[in-house]
């Protein structure tokens, strides 16, 4: 109890101080319609951030979150603060959790540099969502010790999100629950999940996977998180609440001022939660204020609300008086009220998916596909269904991806029932693959779209040097062969060029004598493949050698797309030097 009382005192002190800052900011403004947020920053009714992300599209389904505010003391530990002191554990971040946040920031800096994601934002969200994985209670691989599961989203005090994963992640086959240290709902994890620790799995209970997924989720709309407006929108899309936004921003500012690493498992556990029925209520498993991590591994999660009022004991109010209970039940008892069946959601009415006119999905390696994939959601009668989430997934052995490098994208159907996937970008790997469209939150057959990546092409090749080269028998050609590839007059980079020493211009068969290249073992080869032009469309071939056979030969270079160039090679003995008449002895008879 002493520990709980101490936490309440500290929380009350923080809340009082923040409230005072907000009131002071409001009073000092002397302007109408001005308020102060949780950090004392002034905002107006016109510029309050908003989000139009519905619960089923958010990261958490707008699940409850921890409302604890940052400590008043500096986030930097003092020389006398030990790792086990309250100030240290409250301000510090468990080592493995901190490492996961920083690795996620590094990966997002590479994959989506324009997003400018700071690791401190992931730390702020992780603090508010799960108390940094319940104080860093993770194993050596970063997986939480016991699952962290939020209340079921059954529409009773929370959003209504019916089961989308058959209970795989949350153990609930009726409704969805937020799961893991970053509290993803299963339907969002299905497309946002990432493998952050390289173990080949995407596990929402692993802090490396969850942190990387959260980073990609926050960067999914080309938001620049160094811009306050984009930052606010990204946070609100994670959990759509103004109080949530202010709480995350408070922790973000706190961590930006500095923090420190603490051992795993030594972090403090949060106290208050947004679904608390009474301020300062002690957390208890299954009750108001309970941690989202109060569930035990394998347990069936349920709503964490206060229990209802217990029924009357039936004792009379007048001690010793006669019982007021009727001897016989009433003749016409009132039937119990039936729980109304919620109306079907748009997703519930989807019967199948139809191709909305997408054909001819072909692109050259490295190019963006000219056409976008369109899918239409329909009822059994063929009527369009709007406001349905469609997941597009790139399937198969390919490096093609949607704009931004994601293999999965989720799009909401419009009033015509059509969802249009982001632009598809071909990688360097050629061949076919599939993009599969499925309905998020409903089990209906998916719709597959076949796509093909073809080789880069060039329609012309030109020599940058001499088109006729000479060499003596058994020697080597002094000048290398260099060519430039173009497509419709523009540089054609990364185009494959095949070089073959042929018998003649009329006979493209590979020659068995004359000039040759050398392989890695020094053996003669007369066909080269796998060589590609550089960024400027240029390609320089390896050195050419000649055997003892004299004659005129042809080197033919070709590219996909019709580019072709023939270069003449001559192998001949060096010409005999022409005598200088002035140096020749005279043969005229002497007088």
């Amino acid at each position: 109890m002493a520990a709980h009382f101490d936490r309440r005192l500290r929380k009350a002190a923080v809340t009082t101080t923040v409230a005072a800052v907000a009131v002071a900011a409001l009073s000092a403004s002397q302007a109408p319609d001005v308020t102060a947020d949780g950090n004392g920053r002034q905002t107006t009714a016109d510029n309050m951030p908003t989000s139009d992300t519905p619960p089923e599209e958010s990261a958490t389904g707008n699940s409850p979150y921890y409302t604890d505010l940052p400590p008043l003391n500096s986030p930097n530990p003092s020389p006398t603060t030990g790792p086990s002191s309250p100030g240290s554990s409250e301000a510090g971040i468990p080592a493995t959790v901190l490492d996961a946040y920083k690795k996620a920031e590094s990966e997002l800096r590479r994959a989506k540099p324009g997003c400018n994601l700071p690791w401190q934002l992931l730390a702020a969200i992780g603090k508010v969502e799960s108390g940094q994985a319940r104080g860093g209670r993770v194993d050596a691989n970063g997986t939480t010790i016991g699952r962290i599961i939020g209340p079921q989203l059954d529409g009773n005090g929370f959003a209504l999100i019916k089961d989308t994963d058959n209970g795989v992640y949350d153990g609930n086959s009726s409704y969805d629950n937020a799961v893991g240290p970053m509290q993803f709902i299963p339907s969002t994890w299905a497309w946002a999940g990432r493998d952050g620790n390289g173990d080949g799995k995407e596990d929402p209970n692993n802090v490396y996977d969850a942190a990387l997924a959260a980073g990609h989720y926050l960067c999914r709309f080309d938001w620049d998180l160094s811009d306050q407006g984009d930052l606010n929108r990204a946070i609100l899309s994670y959990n759509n609440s103004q109080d949530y936004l202010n709480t995350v921003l408070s922790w973000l500012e706190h961590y930006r001022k500095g923090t420190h690493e603490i051992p795993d498992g030594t972090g403090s556990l949060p106290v208050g939660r947004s679904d608390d029925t009474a301020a300062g209520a002690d957390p208890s498993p299954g009750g108001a204020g309970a941690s989202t991590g109060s569930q035990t591994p394998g347990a069936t999660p349920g709503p964490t609300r206060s229990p209802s009022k217990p029924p009357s004991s039936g004792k009379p109010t007048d001690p010793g008086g006669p019982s007021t209970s009727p001897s016989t039940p009433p003749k016409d008892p009132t039937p119990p009220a039936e729980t109304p069946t919620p109306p079907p959601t748009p997703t519930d009415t989807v019967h199948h998916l139809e191709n909305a006119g997408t054909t001819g999905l072909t692109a050259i390696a490295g190019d963006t596909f000219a056409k976008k994939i369109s899918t239409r959601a329909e009822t059994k009668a063929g009527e369009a269904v709007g406001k349905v989430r469609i997941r597009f997934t790139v399937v198969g052995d390919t490096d093609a991806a949607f704009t931004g490098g994601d293999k999965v994208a989720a799009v909401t159907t419009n009033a015509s029932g059509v969802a249009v996937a982001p632009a598809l970008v071909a990688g360097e790997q050629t061949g076919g693959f599939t993009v599969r469209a499925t309905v998020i939150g409903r089990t209906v057959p998916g719709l597959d779209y076949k796509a093909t990546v073809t080789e880069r092409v060039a329609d012309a090749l030109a020599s940058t040097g001499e088109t006729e080269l000479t060499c003596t028998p058994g020697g080597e050609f002094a000048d290398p062969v260099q060519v430039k590839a173009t497509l419709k007059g523009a540089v054609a980079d990364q185009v494959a060029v095949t070089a073959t020493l042929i018998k003649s211009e009329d006979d493209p068969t590979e020659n068995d004598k004359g000039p040759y290249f050398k392989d890695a073992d020094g053996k003669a080869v007369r066909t080269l493949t796998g060589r590609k032009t550089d960024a400027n469309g240029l390609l320089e071939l390896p050195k050419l050698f000649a055997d003892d056979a004299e004659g005129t030969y042809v080197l033919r270079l070709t590219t996909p797309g019709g580019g072709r160039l023939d270069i003449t090679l001559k192998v001949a003995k060096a010409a005999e030097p022409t005598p200088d008449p002035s140096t020749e002895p005279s043969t005229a008879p002497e007088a």
Side-chain angles (χ1 to χ4, degrees), residues 513-537:
K513 61 179 181 179
Y516 60 92
F517 300 104
K518 287 183 179 179
D519 63 13
D521 297 326
K523 296 180 180 179
V525 293
R526 291 186 167 86
T527 297
L528 292 180
T529 59
R531 308 290 170 134
K532 292 186 177 181
T533 59
D534 63 15
N536 298 315

Side-chain angles (χ1 to χ4, degrees), residues 127-171:
K127 178 69 175 180
V128 171
E129 292 295 346
S130 68
Q132 310 297 19
R134 296 180 300 196
R137 287 159 179 80
V138 296
D139 63 20
N141 296 317
T143 301
T144 59
I145 300 173
R147 292 186 298 175
I148 304 175
I149 301 178
Q152 69 177 16
L153 302 173
D154 57 5
N156 188 8
F158 306 105
L160 174 60
I161 303 179
K162 295 183 179 179
D163 175 60
T164 61
D165 67 330
N166 200 29
V168 170
Y169 291 121
D170 54 17

Side-chain angles (χ1 to χ4, degrees), residues 141 143 169 189 193-204 206 208-209 212:
N141 296 317
T143 301
Y169 291 121
W189 181 261
R194 294 292 191 280
D195 178 12
N197 61 352
D199 64 356
K201 297 183 294 183
E202 297 172 355
D203 182 4
N206 183 277
Y208 287 98
D209 295 359
L212 183 58

Side-chain angles (χ1 to χ4, degrees), residues 31-94:
D33 299 322
V34 175
T35 59
D37 65 16
N39 295 305
R41 290 186 289 267
Q42 294 180 6
T43 60
T44 66
D46 292 335
N47 65 12
M48 286 296 288
T50 60
S51 172
D52 59 359
T53 304
E56 64 273 12
E57 299 178 22
S58 68
T60 68
N62 297 338
S63 294
Y65 56 90
Y66 290 113
T67 57
D68 295 30
L69 294 172
L72 294 175
N73 60 306
S74 168
N76 294 312
S78 64
T80 58
T81 300
S84 60
S85 68
S88 174
S89 61
E90 181 122 356
I93 299 177

Side-chain angles (χ1 to χ4, degrees), residues 245-547:
L245 170 66
N246 293 335
T247 306
V248 170
L249 289 175
S250 297
W251 282 104
L252 172 60
E253 184 67 20
H254 178 75
Y255 289 136
R256 276 176 166 165
K257 290 178 181 178
T259 187
H260 58 286
E261 178 184 297
I262 61 175
D264 289 346
T266 63
S268 61
L269 297 177
V271 178
R273 214 174 67 155
S274 61
D275 61 340
D276 284 353
T277 57
D282 287 336
S284 59
S291 164
T292 55
S294 63
Q295 303 292 340
T296 57
T300 301
T304 54
R305 293 183 288 277
S306 295
S308 59
K309 184 179 179 181
S312 172
S313 65
K315 294 181 180 180
T317 57
D318 182 11
S323 171
T324 58
S325 301
S327 58
T328 58
K331 294 181 179 180
D332 298 314
T334 303
E338 294 183 1
T339 303
T341 302
T345 65
T347 301
D348 294 331
T349 67
V350 177
H351 178 265
H352 60 272
L353 296 176
E354 288 288 341
N355 187 333
T358 302
T359 59
L361 287 173
T362 302
I364 296 172
D367 287 356
T368 299
F369 283 74
K371 298 179 181 179
K372 294 183 178 180
I373 297 172
S374 298
T375 297
R376 176 180 159 98
E378 297 183 355
T379 65
K380 187 175 182 178
E383 297 176 348
V385 185
K387 298 183 179 179
V388 174
R389 294 285 285 173
I390 304 297
R391 182 185 300 114
F392 297 95
T393 307
V394 177
V395 181
D397 184 15
T398 180
D399 55 355
F402 295 112
T403 302
D406 294 325
K407 294 279 189 178
V408 180
V411 183
T412 303
T413 58
N414 58 22
S416 299
V418 175
V420 181
L424 191 62
V425 181
E428 293 302 322
Q429 186 174 338
T430 60
F433 63 95
T434 299
V435 177
R436 181 165 299 149
T438 54
V439 180
I440 297 176
R442 186 165 175 78
T443 304
V444 299
L447 183 61
D448 286 351
Y449 297 81
K450 300 300 182 182
T452 304
V453 178
T454 61
E455 290 183 289
R456 294 173 183 260
V457 298
D459 56 16
L461 283 171
S463 175
T464 61
E466 298 293 331
T467 58
E468 183 175 296
L469 303 176
T470 60
C471 177
T472 58
E476 60 184 53
F477 290 83
D479 298 320
V481 174
Q482 187 181 66
V483 295
K484 183 174 183 177
T486 56
L487 178 63
K488 297 180 180 179
V491 167
D493 63 316
Q494 297 300 308
V495 174
V497 177
T498 299
T500 306
L501 289 150
I502 59 178
K503 292 185 175 181
S504 69
E505 292 183 358
D506 298 327
D507 184 358
T509 306
E510 181 184 283
N511 212 332
D512 56 359
K513 61 179 181 179
Y516 60 92
F517 300 104
K518 287 183 179 179
D519 63 13
D521 297 326
K523 296 180 180 179
V525 293
R526 291 186 167 86
T527 297
L528 292 180
T529 59
R531 308 290 170 134
K532 292 186 177 181
T533 59
D534 63 15
N536 298 315
L538 297 174
L539 172 66
E540 183 173 292
L541 296 179
K543 183 177 293 187
L544 275 164
F545 300 87
D547 60 17

Side-chain angles (χ1 to χ4, degrees), residues 41 75-76 93 105 115-124 224-228 231 235 248-259:
R41 290 186 289 267
N76 294 312
I93 299 177
E105 179 202 54
C115 181
N116 295 307
L117 172 79
W119 67 260
Q120 291 90 343
L121 175 59
L122 298 176
D224 178 0
L225 300 186
S226 65
D227 175 82
Q228 189 64 44
L231 175 63
I235 295 172
V248 170
L249 289 175
S250 297
W251 282 104
L252 172 60
E253 184 67 20
H254 178 75
Y255 289 136
R256 276 176 166 165
K257 290 178 181 178
T259 187

